[in-house]
Amino acid sequence: MRRFLRATFLAQVLDWVESEPSTLVQPDEFRLVQKWPGHCRELGPTDGEQNLGALGFARQEALFLQHLGDPDTGDGEAESSGVVGTAADATTMSLPAPTVPAPVGGG
């Protein structure tokens, strides 16, 4: 698990995802997907210059790791997932192995 301040730029989060061996990602070959009923937003390098606060991250967010080029699972969710939560001004992000969904928990 890793904590990020809401002032952290998304580019730093993307770099962290790339550095985690369990994600099996290649640079620029993945997106972080913010999704809940009625809302779906892909975050990637083009959003890297914005910080998490400017991107509207709330106290707890669920992000899904989407490998570009991977077929959709049918319900629109990416193959692997992680959990992002914010406590005060910090965001926590945890990414499990690509085929194991992460539990949703407090932060």
Side-chain angles (χ1 to χ4, degrees):
M1 187 170 294
R2 169 88 191 262
R3 292 190 179 273
F4 296 98
L5 296 176
R6 291 182 67 195
T8 301
F9 289 96
L10 183 67
Q12 292 173 280
V13 177
L14 297 173
D15 288 344
W16 177 75
V17 172
E18 289 176 8
S19 73
E20 279 297 308
S22 65
T23 64
L24 302 174
V25 300
Q26 298 295 319
D28 298 324
E29 294 295 321
F30 70 97
R31 297 292 180 268
L32 297 178
V33 180
Q34 185 182 39
K35 186 174 183 178
W36 61 82
H39 174 82
C40 183
R41 176 170 67 164
E42 290 187 13
L43 301 166
T46 58
D47 303 297
E49 294 183 12
Q50 295 184 61
N51 66 40
L52 301 178
L55 289 168
F57 277 69
R59 289 189 171 268
Q60 184 170 346
E61 298 281 344
L63 291 181
F64 298 91
L65 175 61
Q66 180 177 7
H67 292 91
L68 297 181
D70 281 354
D72 211 358
T73 60
D75 61 2
E77 292 197 9
E79 183 178 309
S80 60
S81 62
V83 175
V84 173
T86 51
D89 64 347
T91 297
T92 302
M93 183 169 202
S94 173
L95 292 170
T99 57
V100 179
V104 176

